[in-house]
Amino acid sequence: MAKERRARKRHSSMMEIAEQATMEVKDTAPSPARPITPGLQFIEDTYNAIDEIDPDLVDDWGVEDRLEKFTAVNSGADEDTDVPNHSLEQLADSIRENGQQVPIQVRHEPGRTGRYQIIYGRRRLAACRYLKENYPDENIKIKANVVDLDDDKALIAKALENASRKDLTFYERARFATDIIASGKNRSEVITIMSLTKSGLSNLERITKSIPRELGDAIGAAPGFGRTKWMILVDALDQKVITPRNALRELEKLPPSSSSDERLLALLDEIKRKSETPRPNPRIVGEGLATVKQGASGLNISINDSAAPGFSDWLDEHIETLMKEFRDRFEAVSGRK
């Protein structure tokens, strides 16, 4: 019992000393810094001194996080200034007048002394390249944080920097996630890197699975719209209300100056029109030889074997020659290829 009392006493004394030490630290320590997210902490930990380098020495690297065409910042303010900028020229003008406020991040390019690979800041890099090309006498440099990161850490830095600014559009996030997976990462890693849930990643994957890349490029980032509008397009494509080819043709009708938001809305209007237009009933042609039905996915022809026994087999054998002949006649008449 005496030993137990002595042990408790020693323990109590140690606790008192620890509490006193804690109080002394609190009394002498400076006020704590503002809380910082793990993502921003990672970014700050990678920062070295800022260098000014020739923008032509920086090469592309890794998956793209932004769509170059029709891209605008979602928040309405550019990442370099507090003034709305929705084009490369506007961003370049802002940097020329006000200076580059936020550095890009690059890493030394493996095996190539004196060259760099961009981790993030592609728009700023493009703007500085534009300035160098158009103002050759001004010795344009780009402010860059030069780091030594391997592929995995560089990819995480890119994703976290995007997440900290939260100005990637929904479609850009979908493309970014898909490209990370294509680069060799598994879904669990992408969920961690982009701070997603499993269902969130599934939604992004469905977007890029249903919308061909060519169509997505033609629409652009659509900064004004999120998941809801894009899912209308996905559903329409999945249900063949509209085909990717027809969607591209609709976009070709728009003025070149159309914004990305306007292009997506134009497609949604066309989808609505097609959905509300009654479709004609199938029609019998060739004295009962075939049934023809015009659908959203194209023309469907069914051969009635009882009307001409053996005709479907003959048609199957000669279909490539006949289709080429029909296409040549179509191009001759329409002038389209």
Side-chain angles (χ1 to χ4, degrees):
M1 292 293 291
K3 289 183 179 180
E4 292 180 1
R5 284 197 295 271
R6 285 196 296 271
R8 286 197 294 270
K9 186 175 181 180
R10 283 196 301 271
H11 178 73
S12 176
S13 298
M14 291 176 66
M15 291 295 292
E16 289 175 0
I17 293 171
E19 289 177 3
Q20 183 63 33
T22 302
M23 292 175 62
E24 290 176 358
V25 169
K26 288 181 179 178
D27 290 339
T28 59
S31 300
R34 64 179 179 83
I36 188 167
T37 65
L40 288 176
Q41 185 65 62
F42 179 93
I43 294 171
E44 289 195 358
D45 289 346
T46 63
Y47 261 75
N48 298 326
I50 304 302
D51 294 331
E52 292 190 350
I53 59 181
D54 186 334
D56 288 340
L57 295 178
V58 183
D59 298 320
D60 290 334
W61 170 83
V63 299
E64 292 187 2
D65 52 352
R66 290 190 182 277
L67 298 181
E68 297 298 328
K69 193 175 183 182
F70 307 117
T71 296
V73 177
N74 197 28
S75 63
D78 191 84
E79 61 199 64
D80 282 302
T81 71
D82 294 327
V83 181
N85 283 299
H86 300 290
S87 72
L88 175 64
E89 291 81 1
Q90 287 174 312
L91 175 56
D93 288 344
S94 176
I95 290 176
R96 184 167 182 249
E97 293 174 7
N98 306 309
Q100 180 190 342
Q101 303 301 314
V102 182
I104 67 172
Q105 188 173 80
V106 300
R107 67 176 185 173
H108 295 286
E109 185 165 349
R112 299 187 70 187
T113 303
R115 295 201 68 86
Y116 308 88
Q117 292 176 329
I118 188 164
I119 296 175
Y120 57 74
R122 292 173 187 266
R123 298 180 72 245
R124 283 160 279 176
L125 176 60
C128 288
R129 285 173 174 168
Y130 174 89
L131 289 175
K132 182 177 180 180
E133 180 181 351
N134 288 275
Y135 302 95
D137 298 331
E138 295 192 9
N139 191 28
I140 300 297
K141 302 289 185 181
I142 187 166
K143 294 179 182 178
N145 169 233
V146 183
V147 297
D148 289 308
L149 297 178
D150 60 24
D151 286 354
D152 286 344
K153 290 182 179 179
L155 185 59
I156 292 172
K158 177 197 286 283
L160 291 176
E161 198 268 347
N162 284 328
S164 70
R165 285 188 285 107
K166 295 183 180 178
D167 63 2
L168 283 188
T169 71
F170 177 78
Y171 183 61
E172 284 175 323
R173 283 172 58 81
R175 288 275 289 262
F176 190 33
T178 302
D179 287 346
I180 293 177
I181 292 174
S183 73
K185 301 298 179 184
N186 60 45
R187 297 181 81 257
S188 297
E189 289 174 312
V190 176
I191 287 171
T192 300
I193 289 171
M194 295 189 64
S195 300
L196 296 169
T197 62
K198 288 183 178 179
S199 61
L201 178 56
S202 295
N203 287 333
L204 296 180
E205 287 180 300
R206 188 180 174 197
I207 294 292
T208 52
K209 180 181 179 181
S210 297
I211 301 175
R213 205 172 188 90
E214 182 184 8
L215 178 56
D217 287 342
I219 297 170
F225 302 114
R227 177 176 177 270
T228 301
K229 297 294 187 186
W230 283 100
M231 287 307 299
I232 294 175
L233 176 57
V234 165
D235 290 339
L237 289 168
D238 290 348
Q239 297 168 18
K240 301 189 184 303
V241 176
I242 192 170
T243 66
R245 178 179 294 182
N246 289 338
L248 287 169
R249 286 177 179 171
E250 289 299 319
L251 294 177
E252 289 173 358
K253 299 176 184 177
L254 300 176
S257 60
S258 299
S259 70
S260 180
D261 287 343
E262 291 170 339
R263 299 172 78 80
L264 179 56
L265 282 179
L267 281 186
L268 299 186
D269 287 342
E270 177 63 13
I271 289 168
K272 182 179 179 182
R273 185 190 68 78
K274 284 181 174 293
S275 299
E276 294 174 348
T277 302
R279 296 181 182 176
N281 293 324
R283 62 188 190 277
I284 308 298
V285 298
E287 299 180 350
L289 182 63
T291 301
V292 178
K293 182 178 180 181
Q294 178 74 51
S297 60
L299 195 67
N300 296 303
I301 303 176
S302 299
I303 303 300
N304 182 5
D305 271 338
S306 61
F311 177 65
S312 60
D313 292 335
W314 180 89
L315 184 60
D316 182 48
E317 183 180 348
H318 296 85
I319 190 68
E320 289 192 18
T321 301
L322 291 171
M323 292 306 296
K324 183 180 183 306
E325 179 184 336
F326 292 154
R327 185 184 65 187
D328 292 343
R329 289 171 61 184
F330 164 75
E331 290 176 353
V333 171
S334 67
R336 294 167 57 183
K337 296 196 175 205

